Amino acid sequence: MQESYLNETYYGSENEAFSSIQVPPNIHFFARLDGWKFRKLTNKLNAEKPFDRRLAQCLVKSAKAVFRSGMNPSLIYVASDELNILFGANAPFRGRVEKINSVLAGMVSSVFSIAVKAVFGKDAITAFDSRIILTPDEENMIKYLNWRQADLWRNHNNAYAYWMLRKKGYGSADVAKKLQKLKTKELHQLLFQEGINLAKTPTWQRRGILIYREPYVKQMINQKIVRWKLIENWDLPLFTTEKGKNLLTQILQWSQFRRKI
Ligand SMILES: Nc1nc2c(ncn2[C@@H]2O[C@H](COP(=O)(O)OP(=O)(O)OP(=O)(O)O)[C@@H](O)[C@H]2O)c(=O)[nH]1
Ligand SMILES: [Mg+2]
């Protein structure tokens, strides 16, 4: 009786077909979370175009929640509606991909929705997708960040051009066609004529925002101890420059050091 009851109600975990997919041990990787249908969401929120600092603040809040969750990322790079979360050799959840993606997407979506309600005063059910990108060594981690920053810069330029033309009365299909034909230099010139210098927009819009832990020394009665503070850097250099590379290398060293102590 007992056995047939079990048989009828058992649907084996062997059918959880993807649960064994894991990040290889001791490999650094990014989880990239991207806001789902954010164009529609930003319209609903009546967010400033092309960029709204309040929206970026909600993303930064979500990134900080990941840091405080105990998952211990090395850094998080926020660009447009993306969170790029770097993990070191100690992957959370033993590197189980389904678990990492689903927990991160769930956490970021819920913190972001609550932040949006507080900042914009509107209910919004938001969602993020999440994927894993392997970056086995420091060179690849920096290469990956260079790529996301370059992508942000392209989207930034297009967004400024798009909304400038829309404000002038062009329809969205016409604008898309017009932008497709323009070379980068022509796009810069077009905006410059309208009083928009793409090199002078707020730095965070062009280069993104980085969240990481920085050490500081605290003097106690008989000893000095190292403490860590969570930094949000809205004034980033280009990652391809010496200054940018040095900043990233420093953050990676700090996170390695933190893991050891
Ligand atoms: N107005 C406004 N829109 C923003 C801002 N940040 C991001 N967005 C919007 O978010 C979009 C992000 O690009 P995508 O991720 O390609 O577009 P999406 O609508 O989220 O589409 P999926 O990710 O495929 O679901 C941009 O195209 C903008 O429309 C902002 O600060 N202000
Ligand atoms: Mg998106």
Side-chain angles (χ1 to χ4, degrees):
M1 179 69 187
Q2 183 74 12
E3 202 171 288
S4 75
Y5 171 76
L6 276 177
N7 284 343
E8 273 166 32
T9 56
Y10 180 70
Y11 197 80
S13 57
E14 64 271 20
N15 294 308
E16 292 171 10
F18 308 106
S19 63
S20 61
I21 299 175
Q22 280 175 294
V23 175
N26 300 321
I27 291 258
H28 298 247
F29 65 92
F30 278 91
R32 179 165 80 246
L33 281 77
D34 186 295
W36 183 58
K37 291 189 175 175
F38 264 41
R39 171 172 280 259
K40 200 169 160 199
L41 173 75
T42 48
N43 276 340
K44 179 183 162 170
L45 296 177
N46 227 348
E48 278 172 43
K49 297 170 173 96
F51 294 102
D52 192 320
R53 196 182 170 89
R54 294 170 300 170
L55 204 75
Q57 279 165 338
C58 294
L59 288 162
V60 167
K61 209 164 195 177
S62 312
K64 285 182 157 180
V66 175
F67 267 98
R68 292 182 177 129
S69 70
M71 273 192 260
N72 209 12
S74 303
L75 58 82
I76 301 184
Y77 178 53
V78 175
S80 181
D81 66 340
E82 279 178 25
L83 263 66
N84 295 278
I85 307 175
L86 176 62
F87 288 103
N90 296 335
F93 310 122
R94 289 179 290 111
R96 288 167 55 207
V97 167
E98 278 192 332
K99 185 104 181 178
I100 295 169
N101 279 334
S102 52
V103 171
L104 281 175
M107 184 184 304
V108 167
S109 305
S110 58
V111 176
F112 186 79
S113 296
I114 293 167
V116 159
K117 173 75 177 172
V119 172
F120 291 88
K122 288 187 180 170
D123 287 318
I125 296 170
T126 67
F128 286 75
D129 65 50
S130 177
R131 71 197 66 189
I132 301 290
I133 305 99
L134 301 180
T135 49
D137 53 24
E138 191 170 308
E139 192 188 332
N140 277 289
M141 290 174 226
I142 294 180
K143 211 168 158 184
Y144 174 80
L145 288 167
N146 287 342
W147 174 49
R148 296 326 298 151
Q149 200 178 43
D151 200 56
L152 176 68
W153 169 240
R154 268 192 302 275
N155 288 336
H156 158 273
N157 298 345
N158 277 329
Y160 266 97
Y162 179 86
W163 288 112
M164 184 274 287
L165 291 167
R166 287 298 306 274
K167 274 180 202 157
K168 278 181 151 311
Y170 290 96
S172 61
D174 285 345
V175 174
K177 242 189 251 167
K178 208 172 158 70
L179 289 182
Q180 249 178 6
K181 284 187 204 144
L182 282 182
K183 296 201 172 87
T184 312
K185 207 173 165 189
E186 292 168 334
L187 190 140
H188 281 252
Q189 274 165 357
L190 175 75
L191 283 160
F192 200 71
Q193 282 158 13
E194 297 295 324
I196 302 166
N197 183 346
L198 286 173
K200 293 272 157 65
T201 60
T203 315
W204 64 271
Q205 296 181 4
R206 283 179 280 127
R207 299 193 182 147
I209 306 154
L210 205 53
I211 295 105
Y212 49 92
R213 287 198 200 271
E214 190 179 281
Y216 67 97
V217 176
K218 190 164 180 178
Q219 179 70 55
M220 305 301 272
I221 298 167
N222 319 322
Q223 58 174 341
K224 287 180 175 164
I225 54 165
V226 177
R227 285 271 168 87
W228 297 85
K229 58 183 167 191
L230 200 50
I231 301 285
E232 38 180 288
N233 188 335
W234 292 65
D235 191 27
L236 292 176
L238 265 177
F239 295 147
T240 46
T241 61
E242 207 53 35
K243 201 174 165 197
K245 262 183 244 164
N246 288 343
L247 174 68
L248 293 177
T249 308
Q250 177 67 266
I251 294 169
L252 295 176
Q253 277 171 5
W254 283 334
S255 78
Q256 258 174 13
F257 173 66
R258 202 177 128 77
R259 238 168 245 127
K260 279 187 196 138
I261 55 174

